[in-house]
Structures are given as C-alpha cells and as structure tokens.
Amino acid sequence: MAGQTSIRDRSLAKALSQTFQSRTIRERLGKLVVHAVLVIGAAILMTPLAWMLSTSLKPLGKVFFFPPEWIPNPPLWSNYVEVFQVVPFARYVFNTATITLFDVVGKVISCSLVAFSFARLRWRFRDALFVLMLATMMLPHQVTMIPQFVLYRHLGWIDTYLPLVLPNWFGGPFLTFLLRQFFMTIPLELDDAARIDGASIFGIYWRIMLPLAKPAVAAVAIFMFNSAWNAFLLPLIYLHSREKYTIALGLRSFQDQYYTEWHLLMGASLIAMMPVLLIFFFAQKYFIQGIVFTGVKG
C-alpha cells in the first residue's frame, strides 16, 4: 500500500514538473516573440533617423545613390561645421532657445496657478468657467490666427518675439486641465493643515502644491518645450527679419526653388532634434508619471 502511494506521488510530481516546464517554455517563447516584434518595430521606426545621419555625413553628390550607401566612406564630419558657415545657424539656435525658455516658464507658472485655483479653491462660477475653458479646446487655432494678427499689428508687435512669448504667460486649456487633474489627487487635508500653520493661499501653492506636483509640472514643461522648439507656423507669420529666425525657419535656408542642400539640411535637422531627444530621455520618468497620475481623480 505504501509502495503504491509512493508511485502515485512520484507520478504526480512528474506530471506537475512537466506542466511547469511546458508553461515556462510557453512563457519564454511568448516573451521572445514580443521582443522580436518590438525590435523589428524599433528598427523600422529608426530607419528615417539612420538615413538622416547617413545623409548628413555624405557629399551632396552621393545623397541619392542607389542602392544607398548607409555607411559613408569617408564620413564628412565637416558638413556639421558647414551648417554654421552657410547660414547663421548658431543665431537661430539662440533665438529658439530664448523663446522656448520664456514660453516654458510662462506656461508652467500661469497654468499651474489657474489649475490650483480650479482644483483647490472654492469660488462662484468656478465649475462653469472650467467647462468654458475646456470648450475653447474645440476652437481651431486657424479661426483665431487672423484676429490675433490684426491685434498684434495694431500693437506694433509684428517682427518681434512678443506674439510668440506673451500669450503663453496667460495659460492654456489642455495643460491647465492636466495640472488640475493632478492637484485633485492631493488630499485637501494638507491645505487645512497649512492654513492652521498660518500659510497663505500663495504659500500653499508654492510650498506644498508645486513640490508635490513635480511629475505633472515636468510633463507640462516637456509638452511646452517640444511645442515651442518645433514651432513653425507662428514664427513664419510674425518674424520677418532673417536675424530673428528660429530653427524651424532657419532650416528653410538650405532650400530654395531650384536647389536643396540635402546633406546640410539633414545635419541641421539632427542638430535641431538633439535637445528634444535629450530632454525626453533624461526626464521621461517624470513625463510618464505626470501623464499616468493625472487620471487618478477628476
């Protein structure tokens, strides 16, 4: 009887071991398939970037060789130096960086203040105004461009940076909504405790809300940086002097009606992309946290 029980136990243990091994093999195969698909997808998405890098290191005569020469021989690193010699590209980078800095600071401060008011304060018509603010997101930007241009022309702001910077110091519906959702996830008891300790409304905003909302603030800053750095339409409308051009307008300097310096254009485009890629690479943790946490409560 004991021998039969022992045989039964060994058979059961063997069956469980085989089931576990087969499950482990299926899990490993599943992970292998997923990783293979991700690697193939990443390679497809990286192909245009690889072509840009390859083209930026070639002479103009080899840009459209077929089959393409993916690894230039020899690579012409001097193309990147020529980018700054053919056009005042360093000036364009400085102009863009200046506009972007003021835009990011203005957007973060204004949107966080408005979001704090909508999320933490109680005042008449608050909810109605919040809905009205969200409704403005349905208004296409093209509808307001002409009235804005007429207004800025009468103010004498054409060919200045004011139309590109000043509106961002008055908030924006989407980023305000993003911050408001995050602020609503913070317990209201913190506000009450701060008031008992003698903190003012601005003190609560500055010393409690902003430090706790670092992920959401970082997400807003990244959104705004990407938008301001890559802006093309508004600089095209309001900037007429060549020395005031941004990078997006400066890239057009490598093209004209009959001729395009593709090798220099690709080099300048890669230079323009680097700040965005670096900021997202180093701040992606805060960016993802800010996006995820804004939907917790609302």
Side-chain angles (χ1 to χ4, degrees):
M1 192 71 177
Q4 292 178 352
T5 303
S6 177
I7 293 173
R8 192 182 306 115
D9 291 342
R10 285 198 299 270
S11 299
L12 180 60
K14 185 177 180 180
L16 290 174
S17 176
Q18 291 176 348
T19 302
F20 178 76
Q21 290 178 356
S22 62
R23 183 179 299 174
T24 303
I25 292 174
R26 287 198 301 269
E27 290 178 353
R28 289 180 178 177
L29 287 176
K31 291 181 179 179
L32 182 62
V33 171
V34 170
H35 282 83
V37 172
L38 291 176
V39 169
I40 294 173
I44 294 174
L45 293 176
M46 292 294 291
T47 299
L49 185 62
W51 186 84
M52 287 178 62
L53 178 60
S54 174
T55 302
S56 69
L57 298 174
K58 297 176 183 178
L60 182 59
K62 292 186 177 181
V63 170
F64 294 107
F65 271 15
F66 187 83
E69 184 183 51
W70 287 98
I71 302 178
N73 186 23
L76 298 179
W77 297 101
S78 58
N79 287 347
Y80 287 90
V81 178
E82 193 175 350
V83 166
F84 293 90
Q85 295 175 344
V86 172
V87 299
F89 200 72
R91 180 67 184 180
Y92 300 156
V93 173
F94 176 78
N95 295 342
T96 307
T98 302
I99 295 172
T100 302
L101 175 63
F102 282 103
D103 283 353
V104 170
V105 173
K107 208 72 166 184
V108 168
I109 292 176
S110 59
C111 289
S112 60
L113 280 170
V114 177
F116 172 77
S117 175
F118 279 130
R120 315 298 290 192
L121 304 181
R122 298 292 179 266
W123 41 279
R124 195 177 183 185
F125 303 126
R126 183 195 65 172
D127 295 337
L129 288 177
F130 179 70
V131 172
L132 180 62
M133 182 197 72
L134 293 182
T136 62
M137 295 175 61
M138 295 185 291
L139 190 65
H141 179 62
Q142 291 80 1
V143 174
T144 61
M145 281 196 307
I146 294 177
Q148 285 180 342
F149 180 84
V150 173
L151 174 63
Y152 296 149
R153 186 186 62 184
H154 284 296
L155 292 174
W157 290 2
I158 302 301
D159 202 25
T160 70
Y161 295 144
L162 289 175
L164 308 179
V165 173
L166 198 59
N168 291 303
W169 286 79
F170 293 91
F174 172 69
L175 298 181
T176 299
F177 171 76
L178 198 69
L179 287 170
R180 182 247 188 193
Q181 296 303 101
F182 192 95
F183 285 153
M184 292 185 68
T185 65
I186 301 174
L188 290 172
E189 289 76 11
L190 291 176
D191 297 18
D192 298 334
R195 289 191 183 96
I196 292 174
D197 291 336
S200 63
I201 293 177
F202 184 79
I204 296 173
Y205 158 78
W206 186 257
R207 297 184 179 183
I208 298 178
M209 291 296 108
L210 282 187
L212 292 176
K214 284 182 180 179
V217 172
V220 169
I222 293 173
F223 271 126
M224 193 60 220
F225 180 90
N226 184 59
S227 175
W229 187 268
N230 296 316
F232 175 76
L233 182 59
L234 291 183
L236 178 66
I237 293 174
Y238 294 112
L239 299 180
H240 300 162
S241 301
R242 202 171 189 83
E243 65 273 8
K244 297 179 181 178
Y245 277 6
T246 60
I247 288 178
L249 296 181
L251 292 176
R252 291 287 302 171
S253 302
F254 300 101
Q255 300 174 274
D256 59 28
Q257 186 176 358
Y258 303 104
Y259 182 74
T260 300
E261 298 177 292
W262 290 105
H263 57 313
L264 301 184
L265 179 60
M266 294 300 105
S269 299
L270 282 172
I271 295 173
M273 288 172 55
M274 289 307 297
V276 178
L277 295 177
L278 290 175
I279 287 180
F280 182 78
F281 178 79
F282 287 109
Q284 60 178 320
K285 179 181 71 172
Y286 297 104
F287 177 76
I288 294 172
Q289 288 179 354
I291 296 300
V292 171
F293 292 157
T294 50
V296 174
K297 181 179 179 183

